[in-house]
Amino acid sequence: MKTKNNEKKSLRKTISYLFFFIILIFSNCNKDDTQPNCGCDSETKAIINESTQLIGAITYKEQTQSNSYYTNRYWITITDSSCSNCAQHMIVCNEDLITNEILSILNSQTSLNVKFSGELKEVCEKRFDISNISYQLLTLTKIELQ
């Protein structure tokens, strides 16, 4: 009788230890929820509010043999009229907000003026250009033809 009770206690103890280790293993398997430090899904670095009424030129950048930097994407560029070397290039992350009106007029040889707002994010492929030229990714919140 004592042997059967000891066997039951031993089995319970073994099952308890096994259950404990299973819980320990699964509790340490956490999904990595950290945001990437670059790219369209990364943390917002700056916000362009609608109230700024910012206007830029939108183009579609096709890939060429000499240039493959963020190609086959829409770019919005802001230039400073008082600075011939100053440009801020923003590569659009969410093209679904670009209206059909803009898409129907836009082709690879033209640019259109648009008023826009959105969130700026860090590019993953760094490009070292002259200091007055910058590159960011842009998640649009609003865009309209000017």
Side-chain angles (χ1 to χ4, degrees), residues 38-39 67-71 73 91 122-128 135-137:
C38 66
N67 191 344
S68 62
Y69 185 72
Y70 284 98
T71 55
R73 310 270 301 264
I91 302 132
E122 194 74 33
V123 292
C124 292
E125 298 173 44
K126 303 293 184 210
R127 186 169 199 177
F128 300 101
Y135 301 90
Q136 291 98 21
L137 293 169

Side-chain angles (χ1 to χ4, degrees), residues 107-118:
N107 65 41
S108 61
Q109 279 70 42
T110 63
S111 65
L112 297 170
N113 287 333
V114 290
K115 184 169 57 171
F116 65 98
S117 59

